[in-house]
Amino acid sequence: MTAQRVRVAPSSSDPSFPLESYMAERTRWIDRGLRKFLPPPGTRPATIHRAMHYSLFAGGKRIRPILCLAAAEACGGDPAEALPLACAVECIHTYSLVHDDLPAMDNDDFRRGRPTCHKVFGEGIAVLAGDALLTVAFEIAAQSRGWPRYPHRQLILELARAAGSRQLIAGQVADLESEGKSIPLRDLRFIHERKTSALLCCAVRLGGMSANCTPKQLDALTRFGSNVGLAFQVIDDILDITQTSEKLGKTAGKDVKAQKATYPALVGLERSKQIAEQLTQKAFAALEPFGRRGTALRALAEFLLRRDR
Amino acid sequence: MTAQRVRVAPSSSDPSFPLESYMAERTRWIDRGLRKFLPPPGTRPATIHRAMHYSLFAGGKRIRPILCLAAAEACGGDPAEALPLACAVECIHTYSLVHDDLPAMDNDDFRRGRPTCHKVFGEGIAVLAGDALLTVAFEIAAQSRGWPRYPHRQLILELARAAGSRQLIAGQVADLESEGKSIPLRDLRFIHERKTSALLCCAVRLGGMSANCTPKQLDALTRFGSNVGLAFQVIDDILDITQTSEKLGKTAGKDVKAQKATYPALVGLERSKQIAEQLTQKAFAALEPFGRRGTALRALAEFLLRRDR
């Protein structure tokens, strides 16, 4: 397999890999982990804990934490040891959605087919629920296992940097500021790499770290994660114009309406699909050193490329 | 102005301690630390970094980080080693103010005599600037020195729990939900302990931990911090009704207007002053084991009791 190939070769991912049951099982692990790490919804004050649980258990696809666990496996580790880090990343992802949906930001009423957090609990509680999810992510991450090569200080730095003002939040800000403007592809890539790819790549890297991976494996996971992360957002751009709101569980066509720069808007639909495929091929190539252990990561990357919501 | 003055036994703090120059010097340290740990305001995207700096360098009194450094000293440690933790606490305090001032929360236009973050940068950026300050706090804390007794995982847990949905955020939520309601003193104490005392106590504890304090010292610091923290909020309640907006740098009389439960509203002004004094006396008592090394903490506790803004 070569990184230059445009079409996904049939051999790229193992068709016999039981992806559906794999994802279902991992989702159950992650949901159990989240319930264990979070204060129960009845904890006083009940409102904030109900709001946190509402957004966290809203039927999300758990892409980032599943990738985190699969990365641990690819490095020969026990995925159970990656669980706290996987859950921490999911909390950060969920907080970013809760705040992103606020009227002051994207002003979205629906997410995953349900009213958004602020529609149910009010804006004040939604701001605080996002804050609490971001905070608890670090509480959970601190409960992970550290290694001499990857001590807690490094795991926390990794998470904080991916979620911080130079990565995830930088992407949100640049996205907010680009609305209604015509921006070059370079700037769009800046946004996508930060808004989506940074945290997804962080999830994959943390999975490797939890398995005490070698520096070479970490490099390979970084290449995999950054390419899959960017592909993921390009596909998101494509789905926003090709799918219905019902299918997506969120408002479709929002990017066009908000005059947001997207890959289809800048380079067209067909070229966007090609780019997503090329990025996925690069991700596949990065997995070569893992051999058969990379099967789950490979299957997940292809699933993300082919998804319809 | 005598309305808010509270009597303290003359022996309680050393009148010869040069508190003013001590605080000025520590403030310079902390400001330098914050500038070192934060991305410069010109970092792309500039808006978010300018907003973070705007709120962080708005003339705050740096009470929590100064207490953190003083607690390190009380335990015989080098206050310079407490600096990352002190700065982390200040970032969390500042984020909580930025979000608290939002229209969906307290809806405040002024803070420390200047327009609030969302008045200058807009609500979306203010939400994100708060998020970024909260996130960078953990990035900074991860750069502190750990000890075998106080490894990074424990420092991070300490910070995340104090800032989380059972402490700081629980206080904000209960505060939000008590508006316009008549609540018993017990519930008001629940709010104050969480909204204010938790993070202030955390600052003091982290200072001790940075100095590798003994478990007994940590207990003493916890008693000191929780009493000073509660006294601090009782004084805040008192100042809200006895001072002008000009003096406070924020809207005075807001608690009455928002029909917020406060100590003066529940137990009267005189009894509130007595309570603040009693809490400060308890804080002084907790410092006894530190002897002369506790001088700065004692002077700070008395300063907080006597402050007029």
Side-chain angles (χ1 to χ4, degrees):
Chain A
M1 179 174 51
T2 58
Q4 289 81 358
R5 218 174 274 173
V6 173
R7 298 277 158 219
V8 177
S11 63
S12 301
S13 96
D14 179 356
S16 74
F17 182 77
L19 185 66
E20 206 173 315
S21 65
Y22 175 89
M23 289 180 74
E25 193 203 33
R26 295 311 155 94
T27 299
R28 280 195 298 276
W29 286 19
I30 292 154
D31 287 1
R32 256 203 312 272
L34 288 169
R35 283 185 213 284
K36 189 185 100 183
F37 291 122
L38 249 74
T43 310
R44 187 180 176 203
T47 330
I48 187 77
H49 295 105
R50 280 198 291 117
M52 289 166 79
H53 280 257
Y54 177 83
S55 291
L56 211 42
F57 297 97
K61 294 186 287 287
R62 309 294 192 213
I63 298 303
R64 290 155 195 80
I66 292 174
L67 283 169
C68 180
L69 302 183
E73 279 180 285
C75 300
D78 177 358
E81 289 202 342
L83 194 59
L85 295 170
C87 290
V89 168
E90 187 67 1
C91 287
I92 290 185
H93 171 60
T94 306
Y95 119 76
S96 78
L97 298 182
V98 171
H99 282 188
D100 201 35
D101 287 338
L102 287 169
M105 312 269 286
D106 271 5
N107 194 19
D108 247 314
D109 291 354
F110 286 94
R111 163 78 64 186
R112 292 161 181 167
R114 304 199 310 173
T116 44
C117 191
H118 64 92
K119 294 304 283 183
V120 178
F121 295 94
E123 270 183 66
I125 293 295
V127 170
L128 291 168
D131 294 344
L133 286 166
L134 172 57
T135 310
V136 84
F138 292 100
E139 187 180 332
I140 298 171
Q143 293 170 67
S144 68
R145 170 171 183 178
W147 296 92
R149 184 156 39 196
Y150 304 114
H152 286 98
R153 63 180 305 162
Q154 191 178 341
L155 302 176
I156 298 296
L157 268 181
E158 183 82 23
L159 199 58
R161 287 188 175 145
S165 63
R166 276 172 287 204
Q167 295 291 338
L168 176 60
I169 294 174
Q172 301 275 53
V173 172
D175 192 29
L176 208 63
E177 292 184 339
S178 77
E179 268 182 34
K181 280 185 201 157
S182 145
I183 61 167
L185 190 61
R186 197 182 57 241
D187 289 5
L188 181 60
R189 197 176 156 124
F190 175 97
I191 295 173
H192 281 14
E193 278 173 351
R194 282 155 187 80
K195 199 177 75 168
T196 308
S197 186
L199 187 63
L200 198 145
C201 186
C202 170
V204 172
R205 282 169 55 88
L206 287 173
M209 290 180 185
S210 79
N212 198 22
C213 68
T214 65
K216 274 201 167 177
Q217 288 177 317
L218 191 59
D219 279 350
L221 288 177
T222 307
R223 273 201 309 284
F224 173 79
S226 54
N227 281 297
V228 167
L230 190 50
F232 184 86
Q233 185 56 49
V234 175
I235 301 284
D236 229 54
D237 286 358
I238 293 171
L239 293 175
D240 184 73
I241 57 167
T242 58
Q243 293 290 355
T244 62
S245 300
E246 203 180 350
K247 183 85 186 175
L248 295 178
K250 62 182 178 184
T251 318
K254 267 209 69 116
D255 294 341
V256 177
K257 209 173 155 196
Q259 295 185 273
K260 275 205 182 178
T262 64
Y263 270 73
L266 286 195
V267 300
L269 195 56
E270 279 314 306
R271 179 82 190 105
S272 300
K273 287 180 188 169
Q274 275 175 8
I275 289 172
E277 286 203 9
Q278 282 164 355
L279 290 164
T280 305
Q281 286 297 346
K282 281 189 194 169
F284 285 151
L287 290 180
E288 268 168 32
F290 297 101
R292 282 203 57 243
R293 276 184 177 157
T295 304
L297 283 180
R298 227 181 319 266
L300 287 164
E302 187 161 355
F303 164 78
L304 293 177
L305 181 67
R306 307 252 173 256
R307 74 203 162 95
D308 58 4
R309 65 188 178 97
Chain B
M1 171 130 203
T2 54
Q4 79 296 341
R5 197 170 290 170
V6 177
R7 249 158 292 132
V8 176
S11 62
S12 301
S13 95
D14 178 355
S16 73
F17 183 76
L19 184 66
E20 206 173 316
S21 63
Y22 175 88
M23 288 181 75
E25 194 204 33
R26 294 312 155 93
T27 299
R28 279 194 299 273
W29 286 20
I30 292 153
D31 287 1
R32 255 203 313 271
L34 289 169
R35 283 185 212 284
K36 190 185 99 184
F37 290 122
L38 250 74
T43 309
R44 188 179 174 201
T47 328
I48 188 76
H49 296 106
R50 281 198 292 118
M52 290 166 80
H53 280 256
Y54 177 84
S55 291
L56 210 42
F57 297 98
K61 294 186 285 289
R62 310 292 192 214
I63 298 304
R64 292 154 193 81
I66 291 174
L67 283 168
C68 179
L69 301 183
E73 279 179 285
C75 300
D78 177 357
E81 288 202 343
L83 194 58
L85 295 170
C87 290
V89 169
E90 187 67 2
C91 287
I92 290 184
H93 171 60
T94 306
Y95 120 76
S96 78
L97 299 182
V98 171
H99 281 187
D100 201 35
D101 288 337
L102 287 169
M105 312 270 284
D106 272 4
N107 192 18
D108 247 314
D109 291 354
F110 286 94
R111 163 78 63 186
R112 293 163 181 165
R114 304 200 308 173
T116 43
C117 191
H118 65 91
K119 294 304 283 183
V120 177
F121 296 94
E123 270 183 68
I125 293 294
V127 170
L128 291 168
D131 295 344
L133 286 166
L134 172 56
T135 310
V136 84
F138 291 99
E139 187 181 331
I140 298 171
Q143 292 170 67
S144 67
R145 171 171 181 174
W147 296 91
R149 183 156 40 194
Y150 304 113
H152 285 99
R153 62 180 304 162
Q154 191 178 340
L155 303 176
I156 298 295
L157 268 181
E158 183 82 24
L159 199 58
R161 286 187 175 146
S165 62
R166 277 173 284 205
Q167 294 292 338
L168 176 60
I169 293 174
Q172 301 276 52
V173 173
D175 193 28
L176 207 64
E177 292 183 340
S178 78
E179 267 182 35
K181 282 184 200 156
S182 144
I183 60 168
L185 190 61
R186 198 183 55 243
D187 290 4
L188 181 60
R189 198 177 156 121
F190 175 96
I191 294 173
H192 281 14
E193 278 173 351
R194 282 156 187 78
K195 198 177 75 167
T196 307
S197 187
L199 188 62
L200 198 146
C201 185
C202 169
V204 172
R205 282 169 54 88
L206 287 173
M209 290 180 185
S210 79
N212 198 22
C213 67
T214 66
K216 274 201 166 174
Q217 288 177 318
L218 191 59
D219 279 351
L221 289 177
T222 307
R223 274 201 309 284
F224 172 79
S226 54
N227 282 297
V228 167
L230 191 51
F232 184 85
Q233 185 57 48
V234 175
I235 301 285
D236 228 53
D237 286 359
I238 294 171
L239 293 176
D240 184 73
I241 58 167
T242 58
Q243 293 290 0
T244 61
S245 301
E246 203 182 349
K247 184 87 185 171
L248 295 179
K250 62 182 179 184
T251 318
K254 267 210 71 121
D255 294 342
V256 177
K257 209 173 156 194
Q259 294 185 275
K260 277 205 180 176
T262 64
Y263 269 74
L266 286 194
V267 301
L269 195 56
E270 280 313 306
R271 180 83 190 103
S272 300
K273 288 180 191 171
Q274 275 173 7
I275 290 171
E277 191 177 329
Q278 283 163 358
L279 290 164
T280 305
Q281 288 296 345
K282 280 190 197 168
F284 284 150
L287 290 180
E288 267 167 35
F290 297 100
R292 283 203 55 241
R293 276 187 177 154
T295 304
L297 283 179
R298 229 180 319 265
L300 287 164
E302 186 162 353
F303 164 78
L304 293 176
L305 182 67
R306 296 199 185 284
R307 74 202 161 96
D308 58 5
R309 64 189 179 99

